[in-house]
Amino acid sequence: MSWSALDALSDSVDASKRLLLPFDLRRWLTLAVIVFFVSGVSGPSGLNLNAGGSTSDPGGGGTGIPGTGQIPTDAAPGAFDPGLGLVLLVVGLVLAVGIAFAFVGAVMQFVFVEAARTEEPRVRGVFGDYLREGLQLFLLRLAVWLLAVGSLVAAVALVAVSFGAFLLVLLLASPVLLLLALLTWLFLLFTTDFVVPIMVADDVGILAGWRRFWGELRAEWREYAVYALARVVVSIGAGIVAGMGAALVGIVLAIPFVIVGIVGYLAFQVVGLTLVGLAVAAVVAAGFVAAFLVASTTLVQVPVATYLRYYSLLVLGDVSPQFDLIPEIRADVVDADEGEAAAENGNGGNDAESENDRADENENDRADENENDRAEKSENDRADEGEFGSNAGSETGGDDGEENDRDDGRP
C-alpha cells in the first residue's frame, strides 16, 4: 500500500526547485520576508511582572525616614514609582511587538500558500486580501496560548497553595497531560498545514475550514496519522539542516565583522576615544546580527520552509483532491518522477536484453562450433573408410592372382 505522506517526500523537493530555481534575488528576498514571519512566529513569553520593594526602619518597623518617623514624599500612598512605570512600559512594548508579530505571521501563512500555488511570491496586495482570515487564525492561536499559559499558572498556584501536595497529582496525571499536549500540537499543526489551504481553496473562515477538514480527517485518519509521524521526522531533519546552515552562515559572516569591530575599537582607544570605540563595536555587532538574520533566513530558512509548505499541500491534494491547490505542479512533478522511473526501468530492460542477446549469441556460436566439429569428424571418418576400402581391395586382388598361378602350375 502506498502512503501519500511518503510519496510526497521526494515530490516536495521537485516542487520546491520549481519555485526557487533558477535563483532570482528578488524572489528569494520576498520569500525571506514571508518565511521570517511564518517560521519565527511564537507566542509572547512568560514575563515576571513582580516589581517593587520596601525599606524598613530598624528601630521602629515603619517606612519613614529613620529617626524622624516622617514618610518621604516619594513613598507616600498613591505616589508614582518611576521604576515601576519603566517596567510597565517595557512590558507593554514587548507585548505590543509580540502581538503585532504574531498577527502578521498569521496573515503571512496565507500569503505563503498563495506564493506556493502561483509560484509568484508577492506580499503587496496579497497581504490585504487575507487580513480577515489571518485575524481568525491569530485569534485561534492566541486562545490556545492563553489556555495553555492559564493552565500552567493554575497548576503552579495549586502546587504553591497545597505546599507541594498538588505536585503528586500532576505526576499521577502526567500521561493525560502529555496526551493533551500532543493533541494540542496536532491541532495547531493541522490548522496550519491543512485548514489554512482549505480556507484558501474554498474562501471560508477558520471554523468552516475545520469542519471541512474534520470530515476528511475522520475518513482518511490513517493517511493523516502517517503524515503526522513523517512530519515529526522531517521537522527534526529540517531542524538539524537549518541549524548547521545557520552556524555556517554565522561563521562566515563573523570573520569580517569581528575584524572590523576589533580594528575600529582599538583605533579609537589608541587616540583616547574609548567610548567612541565601544560605540563603533556596538554598531558593528548590531550590523552582524542584522546581516545574520537576513542571510540565515534567506539562504537557510527559505528552502526548508518552502519544502515543508509544498509537502503539506501535496499530501492534502493527494488525500483530498477537492482541496488540491497545485494540480499543475503536482502533474508536472509526478510526470517527471514517472519519466525517470520509466527511463531507469528502460535502461534496466535494455541491459537485460543485451545480456540475453549476448548469451544467445554465445550459445549459437558454441552450437555452430560443435556442428562444424561433428561435420569435420564425419568427413574425416568417411575419408578414412574409403582409403581403407581401397587398400583392402588391392590386397584381395593380389591374393587371387597368386592363387590362379598355382592352379595353372606356374610357379
Side-chain angles (χ1 to χ4, degrees):
M1 180 179 180
S2 178
W3 298 100
S4 300
L6 302 182
D7 294 338
L9 290 173
S10 59
D11 294 340
S12 302
V13 176
D14 298 331
S16 301
K17 290 179 180 179
R18 285 172 53 98
L19 180 62
L20 300 177
L21 300 177
F23 180 82
D24 181 80
L25 181 59
R26 182 177 180 180
R27 169 174 294 191
W28 278 66
L29 289 178
T30 303
L31 288 172
V33 173
I34 299 173
V35 170
F36 175 74
F37 289 98
V38 168
S39 300
V41 172
S42 60
S45 59
L47 296 173
N48 183 10
L49 300 181
N50 295 326
S54 62
T55 58
S56 60
D57 182 5
T63 58
I65 299 175
T68 63
Q70 299 177 358
I71 299 176
T73 304
D74 58 355
F80 178 75
D81 186 354
L84 179 61
L86 180 60
V87 171
L88 293 176
L89 178 61
V90 172
V91 170
L93 289 176
V94 171
L95 287 176
V97 171
I99 291 173
F101 194 88
F103 172 71
V104 173
V107 180
M108 285 296 186
Q109 289 287 353
F110 297 90
V111 177
F112 198 17
V113 171
E114 282 292 341
R117 177 171 72 166
T118 61
E119 297 183 306
E120 291 295 334
R122 290 185 302 112
V123 176
R124 184 181 303 175
V126 181
F127 187 89
D129 294 339
Y130 289 101
L131 285 175
R132 178 178 63 87
E133 292 82 356
L135 178 61
Q136 295 177 1
L137 179 60
F138 164 73
L139 292 176
L140 179 66
R141 288 175 169 176
L142 181 62
V144 173
W145 180 82
L146 290 176
L147 182 61
V149 173
S151 301
L152 180 61
V153 172
V156 172
L158 289 175
V159 170
V161 171
S162 63
F163 300 101
F166 189 70
L167 183 60
L168 178 60
V169 177
L170 293 178
L171 292 177
L172 294 176
S174 57
V176 178
L177 297 177
L178 290 176
L179 179 61
L180 290 176
L182 176 61
L183 293 177
T184 302
W185 174 77
L186 287 175
F187 175 77
L188 294 176
L189 175 69
F190 287 163
T191 299
T192 301
D193 288 0
F194 300 127
V195 176
V196 167
I198 291 175
M199 295 170 65
V200 174
D202 289 358
D203 192 19
V204 296
I206 195 166
L207 295 180
W210 251 109
R211 282 195 294 269
R212 285 166 167 77
F213 177 67
W214 180 250
E216 296 296 319
L217 181 60
R218 293 178 60 185
E220 300 290 346
W221 65 270
R222 293 181 181 84
E223 289 281 1
Y224 289 109
V226 173
Y227 172 83
L229 295 175
R231 186 65 160 75
V232 172
V233 177
V234 170
S235 297
I236 294 174
I240 295 174
V241 172
M244 296 175 60
L248 180 60
V249 170
I251 293 173
V252 173
L253 289 178
I255 296 175
F257 277 97
V258 168
I259 294 175
V260 171
I262 293 177
V263 171
Y265 172 75
L266 293 178
F268 283 101
Q269 188 180 33
V270 169
V271 297
L273 299 176
T274 304
L275 292 178
V276 177
L278 291 174
V280 170
V283 171
V284 172
F288 167 75
V289 172
F292 174 76
L293 288 176
V294 174
S296 61
T297 302
T298 304
L299 300 178
V300 179
Q301 292 294 335
V302 165
V304 173
T306 301
Y307 174 85
L308 294 177
R309 182 74 272 181
Y310 272 120
Y311 181 47
S312 64
L313 291 177
L314 287 170
V315 172
L316 177 64
D318 193 24
V319 178
S320 306
Q322 66 272 28
F323 301 125
D324 191 5
L325 291 175
I326 52 173
E328 296 180 358
I329 298 175
R330 178 191 308 279
D332 292 343
V333 169
V334 172
D335 290 343
D337 290 343
E338 291 179 352
E340 292 178 358
E344 292 178 359
N345 292 333
N347 292 334
N350 293 334
D351 293 340
E353 184 178 357
S354 299
E355 184 67 24
N356 293 332
D357 291 341
R358 287 193 294 270
D360 293 340
E361 184 178 355
N362 293 333
E363 184 67 25
N364 293 332
D365 291 341
R366 286 193 296 270
D368 293 341
E369 184 177 355
N370 292 334
E371 183 66 25
N372 293 332
D373 291 340
R374 287 194 295 271
E376 184 176 356
K377 182 178 181 181
S378 299
E379 184 67 25
N380 293 333
D381 291 341
R382 286 194 296 270
D384 293 340
E385 290 176 358
E387 183 177 357
F388 177 76
S390 300
N391 295 332
S394 300
E395 293 176 358
T396 303
D399 294 340
D400 292 341
E402 291 177 357
E403 186 177 354
N404 292 331
D405 290 340
R406 283 195 298 270
D407 293 339
D408 293 337
R410 293 189 297 266

